Amino acid sequence: MSCEVTRTTLPAMTHLPPPAEELRLLDAELRQLDARRAQLLTRRAWLVAALQQPRPWASAQPPITVSPRPETAAPSVQNVLLVLGGVLLTLAAAVFTLVSWGQMGIAGRALVLGAVTLATLAAPVALLKRGLRSTAESVAGLGLALTVLDAYALHAAALSGTDGTGYAAAAAAVLAVTWAAYGLLPVTASLRLPLPCALAAAQFPLLLWTLSADAGAEAITAALLVTAGLDAVAVVRLTAGAARITAVAGAYGMGGWGVLGAGWLSLTAGGPGDASRAGALLLLAAAIALGTARQEPGRKHALGLAIASGLLVVAALGGVARSVVPSQWAVPAHLAVGVALLAAVRAERLPDAMRRGFAWASGAVQALAVLWTLPVVAVVLLGPAVRLGRVWSGAPADARAAVAADVPWPPDTAPAPLVLVAVAAVLALAVRAQEWRGRARLSAAGLLWATALILPAIVEAPYLAGMLVLGVITAVALYACRVTEGAAQVTALVLALVTAAGLTLVSLASQSATLVVLSALTALFAAASWRAGVAPFTAPAALVHAAALAAASGAAADWPSARTALPVLAVAGAAALLAARLGASRTTVPVEAVGAVVALFAVALAVTDPPMLALVLALCGVIAAGTALREGRRPVGYPATALFVLAAWVRLAAWDVGTPEAYTLPVTVPALLVGALRRRRDPQASSWTAYGAGLTVTLLPSLVAAWADPYWPRPLLLGGAALLVTLLGARHHLQAPLVLGGSTLALITLHELAPYVVQVTGALPRWAPPALAGLLLLALGATYEQRIRDVRRVREALGRMD
């Protein structure tokens, strides 16, 4: 207690609350806890007694059950039952009509069928009033089926002598009218089945009438088209539902068969009269499609109908023109009609869907006309390739003979240039939409290129004139590469490359033509390479043509192929110099790739002459070494080294040198020097990386030769070299020389001592080898046991550690 507190102040200090009040509160809380404890104990005793007695409420509660989920909805069950009932009743009526009909008289037959049919057709009215729509539909379907049976029964009983096809046509017409009237009655208008059935029945009367009258193919086709036209009218009149779907299906189905028939008649027409009648049928089909598209311009199939109508007009008028003009002018005639369709595109009064449909139809006709010219273009471009097996066989008579000497010339292709020019003119003049104009002009340029390409062969121009045209096309295309950008530049570049390839193939027929063409193409592509945008393609093309010119020049000078490899290799050297000049340009890699391919071609030319092959390989090594001096091309030094080694080996083989050391030492010495330099720069480098390859190149081939050599100098020299390598490896603590030298020395020693070992083995008794083997096994076993004991000791020592 603090010294400042006096005794007189102690009696005045009190607790909060005072001790008496706090004691009273504690006693009250304890009494409450005792009461609560007694209450909980009483409740616990009651629960224990209740658990020990049987529980009547457990059996009184009903069990919880889960009703199974229905797998089929009620409307589906209803529809299945109604359809099944209608089918069964229809089958019963058919059996009655077909089987039990003959057991009754005419009056009874009419009374029974008429009463059943009328009752069945009248029943849906009452069912609709009661709201039973699905039942009414089923009963109505049964009534319609009964009318078909009535028609059959009438023909079997009273009209059996009439023509069956004609009666079927009349019955189909009557049924169609009857079902349509039944479906349009106010009391049955809500039924969905009668009108589609009426439209389905209406598809057959005209076709069956023409068949019953033995009419020709034209009348049958006309019946199909008229039926399709009536279906089209129904499509326009109807808004939606099953009736419209049935009408659409009928229009497309009957119209499709009619168009096929009319097209076949047009193709097989024997004269203008037949072609005119077939054309009239096609025009009828076009009018039906066009009328439907005009009545429904907003429908999604209006564009397709407009396209179909345009194509049908072209087929109709083109077929008539084909019957009066020579066969080679059939395609131009159709093209003229297709181009004339574009006049309708300018008509503002027509709906937009129709104008777009005519434009697409015209484009389709023009595309087909261009496809017709593709065989001629293919022959002009690829036909000269057959001369690769007989180069310089002589200049052909004309341009067509130059491209189609051994391939058939497509017949009736004289108007092909006119077709290409016409389509190009349409693309250049008629396409005015901004998003399509650029593509159309590029396509027009391609078509004009194809026209100029095939024109000399079409007109059978002289051979030199044909090549001159191809050369001019190449020059123009390369000039276009310089003055254009983007897609136009790419198009011009592709056309130039393709034309140059075709010109090269055509020139192979004549020696002088080949040399002149290759020289001109080399100069053209080299000049075009000044344009940076196309240089990655034109510069390699110039190198390829230069290599071909070098090979052709050597062949023209009657040089052997091995000697021709030198001027070809000069092109590879020029490519390497050009790549060094270009630096980091995009043209560098393509030029280097072409140079490598040209160098391989030179090696292939020289492979038949070993001395020349050695020279070519050495020159390739020089080119590769020069390339390796450039920044970023250091890895090319490895191929350069390999080329020098191959050149040396080929030269040794040409000199008939059989000593392997002559091949291996020129490789080993530089490899060891390079390894020593690397070890000086990087002391951490492995001896296997620095010296392994160089030592292996000499030691292994020499070891193989020494084992087969019966004389002593080679083993002695190899053993001395192996001993020196081993000592150097031991002196400098290098693993690769120590292992390789020691292994070689051991094998050479074994080879030299093998005869003496054989003599000693022969002098030993027979039990000595097994005894030696046993001793060896015992020694190995003892060593193995010692190693196990050492391991156990180490484990026990580790176990004693904290």
Side-chain angles (χ1 to χ4, degrees):
M1 181 179 295
S2 176
C3 297
E4 287 81 6
V5 179
T6 61
R7 295 180 178 271
T8 57
T9 59
L10 291 175
M13 298 180 62
T14 59
H15 296 277
L16 292 176
E21 181 65 19
E22 185 177 0
L23 181 60
R24 187 184 64 80
L25 292 176
L26 290 176
D27 291 336
E29 288 182 3
L30 289 173
R31 285 194 298 271
Q32 291 179 0
L33 289 175
D34 291 336
R36 181 59 180 167
R37 184 172 183 277
Q39 182 181 3
L40 292 176
L41 290 174
T42 303
R43 181 62 181 174
R44 179 180 181 279
W46 185 87
L47 290 174
V48 171
L51 288 174
Q52 293 177 356
Q53 295 177 359
R55 294 173 291 177
W57 59 84
S59 59
Q61 296 180 353
I64 300 175
T65 59
V66 180
S67 60
R69 182 179 60 88
E71 296 182 356
T72 306
S76 300
V77 176
Q78 165 194 305
N79 294 333
V80 170
L81 295 177
L82 292 176
V83 171
L84 183 60
V87 170
L88 292 177
L89 289 175
T90 303
L91 293 175
V95 172
F96 170 77
T97 304
L98 298 176
V99 178
S100 301
W101 184 259
Q103 301 177 2
M104 302 177 64
I106 296 177
R109 301 170 187 175
L111 181 61
V112 171
L113 278 180
V116 172
T117 302
L118 291 176
T120 305
L121 293 175
V125 177
L127 293 173
L128 289 174
K129 290 181 179 180
R130 293 179 176 270
L132 302 177
R133 181 186 181 87
S134 299
T135 306
E137 293 283 357
S138 299
V139 176
L142 176 59
L144 299 180
L146 288 176
T147 56
V148 177
L149 294 176
D150 289 340
Y152 170 77
L154 180 61
H155 180 267
L159 301 174
S160 58
T162 59
D163 178 55
T165 306
Y167 178 81
V174 171
L175 289 175
V177 173
T178 303
W179 293 348
Y182 181 72
L184 295 176
L185 291 176
V187 292
T188 57
S190 59
L191 294 175
R192 292 176 294 182
L193 194 59
L195 288 181
C197 292
L199 289 172
Q203 308 301 313
F204 302 102
L206 290 178
L207 178 60
L208 294 175
W209 271 328
T210 54
L211 292 176
S212 64
D214 292 331
E218 295 173 353
I220 296 174
T221 303
L224 291 172
L225 293 176
V226 170
T227 304
L230 297 175
D231 289 330
V233 173
V235 170
V236 174
R237 297 299 181 185
L238 297 173
T239 56
R244 179 183 172 84
I245 295 175
T246 305
V248 170
Y252 279 112
M254 304 301 283
W257 283 109
V259 168
L260 290 177
W264 177 255
L265 291 174
S266 179
L267 289 175
T268 59
D274 294 339
S276 299
R277 288 189 290 272
L281 293 174
L282 290 173
L283 289 177
L284 174 61
I288 294 171
L290 187 61
T292 307
R294 188 179 181 85
Q295 292 295 326
E296 298 186 343
R299 295 284 183 177
K300 58 183 179 181
H301 57 269
L303 178 60
L305 291 174
I307 296 173
S309 64
L311 294 176
L312 290 172
V313 169
V314 173
L317 300 182
V320 175
R322 185 180 61 250
S323 64
V324 297
V325 299
S327 59
Q328 62 183 358
W329 291 97
V331 173
H334 286 80
L335 178 62
V337 180
V339 173
L341 279 178
L342 294 176
V345 179
R346 304 300 178 188
E348 299 294 338
R349 294 179 299 175
L350 294 177
D352 182 66
M354 293 181 61
R355 290 189 286 113
R356 289 191 294 114
F358 287 152
W360 280 103
S362 177
V365 173
Q366 295 175 55
L368 292 174
V370 172
L371 288 177
W372 174 71
T373 65
L374 287 184
V376 184
V377 178
V379 169
V380 171
L381 285 177
L382 303 178
V386 299
R387 293 185 179 274
L388 293 176
R390 44 188 181 88
V391 178
W392 298 349
S393 58
D398 51 48
R400 181 179 295 186
V403 300
D406 297 325
V407 294
W409 182 258
D412 298 333
T413 53
L418 179 61
V419 169
L420 293 173
V421 170
V423 177
V426 171
L427 290 174
L429 301 176
V431 179
R432 299 182 180 180
Q434 190 65 29
E435 63 271 17
W436 293 98
R437 189 166 181 78
R439 301 175 187 176
R441 289 184 175 181
L442 290 179
S443 301
L447 294 177
L448 292 178
W449 166 81
T451 303
L453 189 70
I454 67 174
L455 188 59
I458 292 290
V459 300
E460 300 184 26
Y463 174 61
L464 295 179
M467 288 196 300
L468 181 61
V469 170
L470 293 177
V472 171
I473 295 174
T474 305
V476 171
L478 289 176
Y479 177 76
C481 292
R482 295 179 58 86
V483 299
T484 56
E485 297 289 345
Q489 187 182 69
V490 175
T491 302
L493 177 61
V494 172
L495 296 182
L497 293 174
V498 173
T499 309
L503 177 58
T504 302
L505 292 176
V506 170
S507 67
L508 295 178
S510 172
Q511 175 179 317
S512 58
T514 302
L515 296 176
V516 172
V517 166
L518 290 177
S519 301
L521 291 177
T522 302
L524 286 174
F525 281 102
S529 299
W530 292 103
R531 175 76 172 182
V534 296
F537 303 95
T538 55
L543 291 173
V544 170
H545 287 97
L549 177 61
S553 300
D558 292 331
W559 288 356
S561 60
R563 188 176 179 184
T564 306
L566 293 178
V568 173
L569 191 60
V571 178
L577 294 176
L578 179 60
R581 176 73 175 174
L582 293 173
S585 173
R586 292 190 301 117
T587 312
T588 303
V589 175
V591 167
E592 290 176 339
V594 171
V597 173
V598 172
L600 290 176
F601 178 57
V603 171
L605 290 175
V607 74
T608 57
D609 188 352
M612 184 60 68
L613 178 60
L615 177 59
V616 170
L617 288 172
L619 293 176
C620 290
V622 171
I623 296 173
T627 303
L629 295 177
R630 292 164 44 203
E631 188 67 27
R633 296 294 186 269
R634 296 289 189 264
V636 183
Y638 297 106
T641 304
L643 288 171
F644 284 129
V645 172
L646 287 176
W649 288 357
V650 172
R651 173 56 63 182
L652 292 173
W655 287 339
D656 294 330
V657 175
T659 303
E661 288 77 12
Y663 296 88
T664 58
L665 286 177
V667 180
T668 296
V669 174
L672 293 178
L673 291 177
V674 172
L677 290 176
R678 177 165 185 183
R679 288 277 299 180
R680 288 188 61 184
R681 294 181 180 179
D682 183 13
Q684 301 299 325
S686 172
S687 63
W688 289 100
T689 303
Y691 307 115
L695 293 174
T696 304
V697 167
T698 294
L699 292 178
L700 289 182
S702 298
L703 181 61
V704 174
W707 273 74
D709 193 350
Y711 304 102
W712 60 269
R714 186 190 301 277
L716 179 61
L717 294 175
L718 181 59
L723 177 60
L724 179 60
V725 170
T726 303
L727 293 176
L728 289 174
R731 171 69 179 77
H732 297 284
H733 304 285
L734 299 177
Q735 188 180 46
L738 186 62
V739 173
L740 293 176
S743 301
T744 304
L745 181 61
L747 292 175
I748 286 294
T749 304
L750 178 62
H751 174 266
E752 294 301 316
L753 297 178
Y756 303 102
V757 173
V758 172
Q759 293 178 3
V760 171
T761 304
L764 291 175
R766 294 181 179 272
W767 54 266
L772 293 176
L775 291 175
L776 178 62
L777 293 176
L778 289 175
L780 291 176
T783 304
Y784 186 75
E785 184 179 5
Q786 180 66 32
R787 295 294 182 269
I788 293 175
R789 186 168 61 251
D790 294 341
V791 171
R792 288 176 179 174
R793 289 178 179 177
V794 171
R795 185 176 60 186
E796 291 174 358
L798 292 175
R800 289 193 296 268
M801 292 181 181
D802 293 335

